[in-house]
Amino acid sequence: MNDDIRPFTLAIEETVLVDLRRRLEHARWPQQETGQGWDQGMPLAQMRAIADYWRTDYDWRRCETMLNGFGQFVTEIDGLDIHFLHVCSPEPDAMPLLMTHGWPGSVIEFHKVIGPLTNPAAHGGRAEDAFHLVLPSLPGYGFSGKPTQAGWKVQRIAQAWSILMRRLGYTRYVAQGGDWGAGITTALGAQRPEGLAGVHVNLPMVLPRDIPAELSTEEKAMLDALAHYNAWESGYSIQQATRPQTLGYGLADSPVAQAAWIIEKFHAWTDHDGNLPATLTRDDMLDNVMLYWLTNSGTSSARLYWESSVGAFSGARIELPAGCSVFPNELYRAPRSWCESHMPNLIHWNELDRGGHFAAFEVPDLFISEVRSCFGKLRSSGFAA
């Protein structure tokens, strides 16, 4: 392995965990909401229940052991340390796959799919569907470094990812992403670095250059979903895109604030019938929250919105083979016609019947199938690593 790549082992000091439990025990609580359910945000009773579990029963060491077991590394790119998981398949002809998370996610989002993607034969699949996985933490997220100067937009991150793949020795690879990961994967596809063979996204963020006068049913539904998002779901984005520093004081000081800021989005953007823990367990959600709390990344992660909200999802044209998977509880669901105008070499399209914004996290079986199906088309056409 390249000498610039350093092994990384997680070993959070016990004093940090003691401090977390102290803060949870002495949290100052707001009054109960006056609306119904989640109308005004995360209900007080549910946040108190999660905080009690977090303080008394949650086991960070379990998560720490899991991450260390995958194989973690750090490398400096453009002056910034980038943390990543690198999980190699036992199959020698495995396809290298770069997968990028978004906000409020982390590499934790992918932990349920790592085994089946890297070692499908051990999980009831076919050896020929195997991938080598590279899963970086975004700049300012998790155990990656925090930028100290402006400029880390999605295009710059995409360029850093291509450096990472070259540094790992991959001369031919594919890329996948959702949320900010979709924006970065789209930017990577548009940049078309040497070695990138194709991309797949589970949040195709595209709009037509000119809104047609006559809209199809799917196109009208997309615009209605955008209107709903702007009216009822975009407050977090506006705050993070305009005043991330002000927001950050609360997220840095209060684990309750950091957890509520994230878990509200798990509730809103995950496909569930009202019982969120049946889809994402408390441990699932808190494992992810811990990657923000332990690293004090509330502000630095939010700053990506300040850097990149304008034009990040403008739908750059991708000439490479591209695939899209559209899940029913996604923030909005781009119609195929709009995707085809930005991805003329669309090799995979599927609209699924369950799943939401955090596809790999909440419906790992469907996510795995989509990734295999999309990139299987490249395998069959002669992909060579």
Side-chain angles (χ1 to χ4, degrees), residues 184-241:
I184 292 161
T185 300
T186 298
L188 192 66
Q191 292 168 6
R192 202 169 184 170
E194 183 178 358
L196 181 63
V199 300
H200 172 271
V201 296
N202 54 287
L203 180 58
M205 308 273 290
V206 297
L207 285 170
R209 291 168 178 80
D210 297 300
I211 302 294
E214 296 293 329
L215 296 173
S216 68
T217 301
E218 293 78 12
E219 291 168 342
K220 185 177 185 303
M222 172 69 166
L223 293 181
D224 288 346
L226 276 175
H228 174 82
Y229 172 82
N230 288 331
W232 294 103
E233 292 289 345
S234 64
Y236 78 95
S237 179
I238 294 170
Q239 179 67 31
Q240 296 193 141

Side-chain angles (χ1 to χ4, degrees), residues 103 141 150 153 180 229-230 233-248 251 261 298-313:
W103 184 93
Y141 287 66
K153 301 177 183 293
W180 282 115
Y229 172 82
N230 288 331
E233 292 289 345
S234 64
Y236 78 95
S237 179
I238 294 170
Q239 179 67 31
Q240 296 193 141
T242 58
R243 298 295 185 270
Q245 190 69 21
T246 303
L247 170 68
L251 300 183
W261 191 242
T299 310
S300 54
S301 61
R303 203 168 281 132
L304 182 55
Y305 286 77
W306 184 86
E307 289 277 8
S308 295
S309 281
V310 177
F313 297 107

Side-chain angles (χ1 to χ4, degrees), residues 99-306:
M99 294 203 301
T100 308
H101 68 85
W103 184 93
S106 67
V107 293
I108 289 291
E109 282 185 68
F110 299 126
H111 81 88
K112 300 174 186 178
V113 305
I114 289 174
L117 287 176
T118 57
N119 193 0
H123 294 82
R126 306 181 308 164
E128 56 264 36
D129 289 329
F131 295 91
H132 300 305
L133 294 182
V134 179
L135 314 176
S137 296
L138 293 174
Y141 287 66
F143 297 98
S144 280
K146 297 176 176 63
T148 57
Q149 295 181 332
W152 277 93
K153 301 177 183 293
V154 295
Q155 291 81 8
R156 184 176 180 183
I157 298 172
Q159 291 168 352
W161 280 191
S162 67
I163 293 172
L164 173 62
M165 296 304 282
R166 290 200 304 271
R167 191 170 291 177
L168 288 169
Y170 292 124
T171 58
R172 189 82 166 154
Y173 63 96
V174 293
Q176 196 284 329
D179 193 85
W180 282 115
I184 292 161
T185 300
T186 298
L188 192 66
Q191 292 168 6
R192 202 169 184 170
E194 183 178 358
L196 181 63
V199 300
H200 172 271
V201 296
N202 54 287
L203 180 58
M205 308 273 290
V206 297
L207 285 170
R209 291 168 178 80
D210 297 300
I211 302 294
E214 296 293 329
L215 296 173
S216 68
T217 301
E218 293 78 12
E219 291 168 342
K220 185 177 185 303
M222 172 69 166
L223 293 181
D224 288 346
L226 276 175
H228 174 82
Y229 172 82
N230 288 331
W232 294 103
E233 292 289 345
S234 64
Y236 78 95
S237 179
I238 294 170
Q239 179 67 31
Q240 296 193 141
T242 58
R243 298 295 185 270
Q245 190 69 21
T246 303
L247 170 68
Y249 297 110
L251 300 183
D253 189 58
S254 168
V256 169
Q258 180 67 87
W261 191 242
I262 288 175
I263 293 173
E264 180 205 301
K265 299 312 174 194
F266 282 141
H267 181 271
W269 299 347
T270 296
D271 188 15
H272 60 91
D273 60 2
N275 181 20
L276 175 59
T279 301
L280 294 179
T281 68
R282 289 178 298 184
D283 282 348
D284 283 336
M285 293 186 285
L286 289 173
D287 286 349
N288 184 75
V289 170
M290 286 291 272
L291 264 65
Y292 287 78
W293 176 256
L294 294 174
T295 60
N296 194 11
S297 295
T299 310
S300 54
S301 61
R303 203 168 281 132
L304 182 55
Y305 286 77
W306 184 86

